[in-house]
Amino acid sequence: MLVVGCAALVALVAAMLLRSDEQDAPGGPAAASGELTRSVLAADGSGVVLSDPRRRSIIGVGFGRRAAWRDAAAFEREPTAACAGSCPDAVLSGSMESTNQPELPDPPIVVHRGSRVEHRRTRALKDRVLWSSARGTSVRLVGDGDRARLLVGRRPPIDLGRQIVTTFQVSANGRRALAVSLLASSGSVRRWFRRTGDGWAPLGVPARSTALSGCLATDGSRALLLGEEVAWASPASRAERPVRGLTAEERQNAGACALSPAGAAIAVLREHTGRRQTSIVLLDGGGAVRARRRVSGFTPIALSAPAGRLAYVAGGALHVVAPGRPDRVILRGVEDFAAIAPDQLAVVDSARVRRVGF
């Protein structure tokens, strides 16, 4: 069954990485047990697009400001979200319902810019915006029937054939991107891109893979891929190099990762006797396993550059750990975060959305 769009994978990862049911840390107004929490859909240095189940809305918020816009109808659709040049301006496209039903057309694309909102109809059956610039240049995933195409600016469409889902991730410096397309037959194809002015150009040649997703180094020089195997990849080679020293469970259940010049972190998602856990595996600069730590609940992770400080959430508190240093809590009442720069996080806490250095 063909499903065009990245909403399926985004929703899956979001569901797995949504905060634990056990956010009851003393000393901070963390979410109560079983309470739905807000989650980051897209973020950059200017603002955040978040899903707010309590208000049943998708909300665009600038740092230190009130909400720029709210969209209750989009919340019900569970769309793909991308910053429209810079957040909180955003493009919302697709829906979970149309992702799971190949014959169902995607709803119109919704663009929020400040208080203005625009609805754009598309001629294609499926049309998802994976990336967008301030000038309107975009990376779109378009599909009809059993064929999908990646539209990268004004360049000729890239034929993806029959694929299930495609992700498009941009490095922190904004100069490189990686697209991973899961094929309906088996495996996936990864494609690298380099920034050219206001758009993107292919970098190297496509390569077959078993990856489902991955994360990029700050400068985009390499990626850590997650799928049947956890492996290193770079634009310079079609080959992938497996990470050594991981257990079978860590390879199979790796759900998120983060890279910095100092090393890497892998979040392994576990459910044991009804309790959610994240096992964080830390790798050194050479790719060898140097430490493991287990956290109650499912947590996002980030690594600062160049120091390699690890950020994660446990018990509703934002923890930061520097290599060889003790764990410290820097903020309580945290619901979610996303990395927006080599040493900066966009944090959603019980009071507001804020930018936090780590």
Side-chain angles (χ1 to χ4, degrees), residues 85-104:
S86 64
C87 283
D89 290 350
V91 182
L92 309 178
S93 59
S95 72
M96 184 55 64
E97 185 180 16
S98 61
T99 294
N100 293 328
Q101 298 184 49
E103 73 284 355
L104 186 66

Side-chain angles (χ1 to χ4, degrees), residues 130 150 166-169 177-181 189-193:
L130 308 183
L150 196 63
T166 289
T167 61
F168 188 84
Q169 298 188 56
L178 176 67
V180 177
S181 299
V189 175
R190 55 182 169 87
R191 292 176 171 85
W192 290 85
F193 296 86

Side-chain angles (χ1 to χ4, degrees), residues 19-358:
R19 307 303 68 88
S20 165
D21 292 336
E22 305 167 312
Q23 297 195 3
D24 54 359
S33 178
E35 182 179 338
L36 294 173
T37 59
R38 295 171 296 173
S39 58
V40 177
L41 301 181
D44 62 15
S46 300
V48 173
V49 177
L50 59 89
S51 176
D52 189 337
R54 285 168 284 190
R55 292 180 173 84
R56 300 193 66 80
S57 294
I58 294 177
I59 304 174
V61 187
F63 296 114
R65 302 176 185 175
R66 294 185 176 182
W69 55 267
R70 299 176 187 271
D71 194 327
F75 176 84
E76 301 299 332
R77 291 196 300 270
E78 299 182 67
T80 297
C83 297
S86 64
C87 283
D89 290 350
V91 182
L92 309 178
S93 59
S95 72
M96 184 55 64
E97 185 180 16
S98 61
T99 294
N100 293 328
Q101 298 184 49
E103 73 284 355
L104 186 66
D106 277 345
I109 295 170
V110 180
V111 182
H112 288 276
R113 293 189 187 277
S115 60
R116 294 177 293 128
V117 60
E118 176 187 356
H119 294 78
R120 299 176 181 172
R121 295 195 174 275
T122 176
R123 297 179 181 179
L125 181 69
K126 309 287 186 178
D127 196 340
R128 308 292 169 95
V129 179
L130 308 183
W131 176 89
S132 178
S133 74
R135 298 179 183 177
T137 303
S138 63
V139 175
R140 290 165 48 211
L141 189 62
V142 176
D144 293 287
D146 285 343
R147 309 299 297 182
R149 304 180 305 282
L150 196 63
L151 306 184
V152 183
R154 297 179 177 85
R155 296 181 177 275
I158 299 173
D159 186 7
L160 302 177
R162 296 190 71 240
Q163 56 90 68
I164 299 173
V165 63
T166 289
T167 61
F168 188 84
Q169 298 188 56
V170 180
S171 61
N173 66 2
R175 296 177 183 173
R176 289 187 178 176
L178 176 67
V180 177
S181 299
L182 276 64
L183 305 179
S185 53
S186 65
S188 60
V189 175
R190 55 182 169 87
R191 292 176 171 85
W192 290 85
F193 296 86
R194 60 182 176 86
R195 190 70 175 268
T196 56
D198 196 38
W200 297 93
L203 178 62
V205 295
R208 288 297 300 265
S209 179
T210 61
L212 301 176
S213 63
C215 52
L216 288 174
T218 305
D219 61 359
S221 61
R222 61 176 180 165
L224 191 57
L225 304 176
L226 310 179
E228 288 185 13
E229 186 59 84
V230 178
W232 300 103
S234 74
S237 174
R238 301 181 68 176
E240 297 176 3
R241 180 169 56 88
V243 174
R244 304 299 180 188
L246 300 179
T247 67
E249 180 193 33
E250 289 167 346
R251 291 194 301 270
Q252 295 166 5
N253 296 325
C257 59
L259 282 180
S260 86
I266 303 168
V268 181
L269 312 177
R270 307 176 73 241
E271 288 233 19
H272 181 64
T273 62
R275 300 176 69 86
R276 298 173 177 178
Q277 294 180 334
T278 303
S279 177
I280 303 174
V281 182
L282 297 171
L283 310 179
D284 62 22
V289 175
R290 67 174 175 83
R292 290 177 170 88
R293 63 174 55 228
R294 187 162 294 174
V295 178
S296 177
F298 292 162
T299 175
I301 56 173
L303 284 179
S304 69
R309 290 182 292 270
L310 169 70
Y312 68 92
V313 175
L318 177 61
H319 294 246
V320 172
V321 188
R325 304 290 295 275
D327 189 311
R328 63 189 179 98
V329 172
I330 64 172
L331 188 64
R332 295 191 181 275
V334 171
E335 300 183 44
D336 196 12
F337 72 74
I340 55 174
D343 58 356
Q344 293 249 313
L345 304 174
V347 177
V348 180
D349 65 29
S350 55
R352 56 179 173 165
V353 173
R354 67 177 78 190
R355 191 167 35 221
V356 176
F358 77 109

